[in-house]
Amino acid sequence: AGLLLMEKMKKNFDDAYIIDRHDSPASKITSFSVFSEEFYDYVNVVKQLKYKKGFKPKIGFCNAYLTGKEVDEGGLAVLYIKANKELAIISIDSNSISLQASNYISNTCQKLGIDCVICTTDSHGKNAVENIVNDYKINDVDKEIIKECIIKAKENALKTKAKIYFSTQELKL
């Protein structure tokens, strides 16, 4: 489904990427096909995407290792974007994320005045592939690492001189 959506996006954009956030506890596993109602919801969102001419956001990045036993070698990655608002895309290299961890990250970003999108990589490097619930459970050490990485990504963005253009649209299922 993702590849088909990316092809549809290429009608309006030179490069197009779809990100599956995989941002809920693993006990809520869902999937859909290109014939499902969910797929058509995605198609409708993709149709709404448009370039904003002259829009020059600042972008910063930070990555770090996390200590949680559910986190694979990729650890934490934070992409910070300052445009008409501030946004952090936060990815944790794990199969899924606990509500406690997700809430901590959301609240931390909110206190910093940053909207956030939380993703996991759907990695199974630390567990079996099927029938496993192995959500990332945040600990006190990782809380500090995550907060520091969000701040560092923001600091790096302020140094950015690149001219880029992008458009976003979010669909919540």
Side-chain angles (χ1 to χ4, degrees):
L3 293 174
L4 185 56
L5 287 170
M6 286 174 26
E7 285 304 313
K8 288 188 173 294
M9 288 176 66
K10 287 182 179 180
K11 291 179 181 172
N12 295 325
F13 298 92
D14 296 332
D15 291 310
Y17 302 94
I18 299 288
I19 299 171
D20 177 355
R21 291 169 46 171
H22 205 269
D23 65 337
S24 60
S27 59
K28 296 181 179 180
I29 295 172
T30 60
S31 63
F32 60 87
S33 75
V34 295
F35 303 108
S36 68
E37 183 178 326
E38 291 87 357
F39 178 75
Y40 288 102
D41 289 341
Y42 274 87
V43 169
N44 289 330
V45 165
V46 165
K47 287 179 183 177
Q48 295 174 35
L49 293 172
K50 303 276 186 270
Y51 272 121
K52 288 189 175 183
K53 304 239 186 251
F55 196 60
K56 299 175 185 172
K58 299 263 186 193
I59 293 182
F61 183 78
C62 178
N63 66 315
Y65 291 104
L66 295 176
T67 63
K69 64 181 172 64
E70 311 88 357
V71 180
D72 213 354
E73 295 176 9
L76 169 72
V78 177
L79 176 65
Y80 170 89
I81 303 168
K82 182 175 183 180
N84 59 333
K85 61 182 180 177
E86 297 179 56
L87 173 69
I89 300 174
I90 299 165
S91 177
I92 296 174
D93 189 13
S94 66
N95 180 38
S96 55
I97 188 167
S98 69
L99 188 58
Q100 175 198 17
S102 181
N103 286 342
Y104 171 79
I105 295 168
S106 294
N107 291 337
T108 298
C109 285
Q110 185 178 22
K111 288 175 186 173
L112 294 169
I114 303 170
D115 289 342
C116 70
V117 173
I118 302 166
C119 311
T120 67
T121 61
D122 195 13
S123 167
H124 292 273
K126 297 282 182 155
N127 60 26
V129 175
E130 293 181 2
N131 300 320
I132 190 80
V133 176
N134 194 28
D135 303 334
Y136 167 62
K137 295 161 191 68
I138 199 164
N139 60 51
D140 289 339
V141 172
D142 284 0
K143 285 180 180 181
E144 194 59 34
I145 292 169
I146 291 168
K147 182 178 179 182
E148 288 175 7
C149 200
I150 294 166
I151 292 168
K152 183 68 174 173
K154 180 175 180 173
E155 290 171 354
N156 290 339
L158 299 177
K159 302 172 192 173
T160 301
K161 303 285 188 240
K163 294 180 182 178
I164 60 163
Y165 303 89
F166 75 100
S167 179
T168 63
Q169 186 72 344
E170 184 173 8
L171 173 66
K172 293 183 180 182
L173 295 176

